[in-house]
Structure formats: structure tokens, C-alpha cells
Amino acid sequence: MIYLILIILTILLIDPVLDHRKIRQNIKILHDKEALHVMLVILGACLGAVIAGVHVLKIAAVVAMVPSVRWVIHDYGLNIIRGLPLSYLGKGEGAAKSDKLLAFMKDEFGVNGFLVRFLFLLNSTLISCLLCLFH
């Protein structure tokens, strides 16, 4: 199980580094397509865990955390690598949908992006804990 978590964390830590490289080379980041690629690689790691005999609910508990953890690691990691404030949100046509959503929530309702990410992470943590209880 620890191997699955380490593989997923490694993938999630490499992702913002690769995006930073693309930004430096002025290559457009295809957010949806790249998120799908990351999820497919993680799915492969999960299948490996199933083959290794890890209980499916344990795997599901880890997978429940992936979207929120990826959001935090990728966005904040990319901002740190680029030397930008943690709260930086992409703008314009190439901005991620999540950045556009957070900007809208901030502009329209005064909701802080840190709070949105924290609540999403808290929710996925609770789901993960519930899955662990049923194992």
C-alpha cells in the first residue's frame, strides 16, 4: 500500500515540474488532457496494487484523495517553481478551468481560493476515512 502512495505522490510531484518546463518553452498546457494522462498512470498503479493483493477499498481510499491532493500539489507547486505567490491564478484563454472558477468565486463572492482547496481536501479526506472504515 505504501508503494501505491509513493508512486502517486511521485507522479503528482513530477507533474508541475513538467508543466513548468512547458511554460518556459512556451508550449500550451492542455489541462484536461494532461489531467487525464495523470489519472491513467495512477489507474495503472492501482491495477498493479490490485494484482499485488491490496484490498480494493484501501485503494479506493487512496484514490479518493488524488483529485484534491493533485490540485494542491500541482497549483501551489507550479506557483512556487515559477516564483509566483501561492495565491496566483492563471488568466486568459490558457488558464485552467479551476483557476477561472477560483477567480470567479473570489470576484463574485469574496471566497478565498485557499478555503475552497481546503474544503475540497477535507471532503476527500472524510470520504477516504469512510472507505477505510468499511474495510
Side-chain angles (χ1 to χ4, degrees):
M1 185 65 172
I2 192 72
Y3 294 119
L4 177 62
I5 294 170
L6 290 174
I7 289 168
I8 290 172
L9 282 176
T10 301
I11 293 165
L12 297 180
L13 289 169
I14 290 171
D15 193 34
V17 174
L18 296 176
D19 277 357
H20 179 249
R21 185 176 295 164
K22 288 178 185 175
I23 291 168
R24 282 194 347 235
Q25 296 173 351
N26 207 23
I27 297 172
K28 183 178 181 179
I29 297 172
L30 304 171
H31 301 283
D32 294 341
K33 184 178 178 182
E34 293 180 19
L36 178 64
H37 289 162
V38 168
M39 291 302 154
L40 288 174
V41 172
I42 289 172
L43 177 63
C46 291
L47 288 175
V50 168
I51 292 168
V54 178
H55 193 280
V56 174
L57 282 178
K58 284 185 177 181
I59 296 169
V62 172
V63 171
M65 297 286 300
V66 170
S68 60
V69 171
R70 180 185 185 276
W71 194 16
V72 169
I73 289 175
H74 185 273
D75 284 9
Y76 293 151
L78 186 57
N79 288 346
I80 289 168
I81 292 168
R82 295 176 68 196
L84 298 169
L86 285 180
S87 60
Y88 173 80
L89 298 173
K91 295 169 181 59
E93 186 181 316
K97 290 176 186 149
S98 59
D99 282 358
K100 291 177 182 177
L101 174 66
L102 290 175
F104 171 79
M105 293 178 74
K106 181 180 179 186
D107 294 343
E108 294 296 318
F109 307 109
V111 176
N112 185 308
F114 289 108
L115 177 63
V116 174
R117 287 183 180 99
F118 172 76
L119 291 175
F120 188 44
L121 186 60
L122 178 64
N123 184 52
S124 63
T125 302
L126 292 174
I127 291 169
S128 181
C129 289
L130 285 172
L131 288 168
C132 287
L133 288 176
F134 291 112
H135 172 258

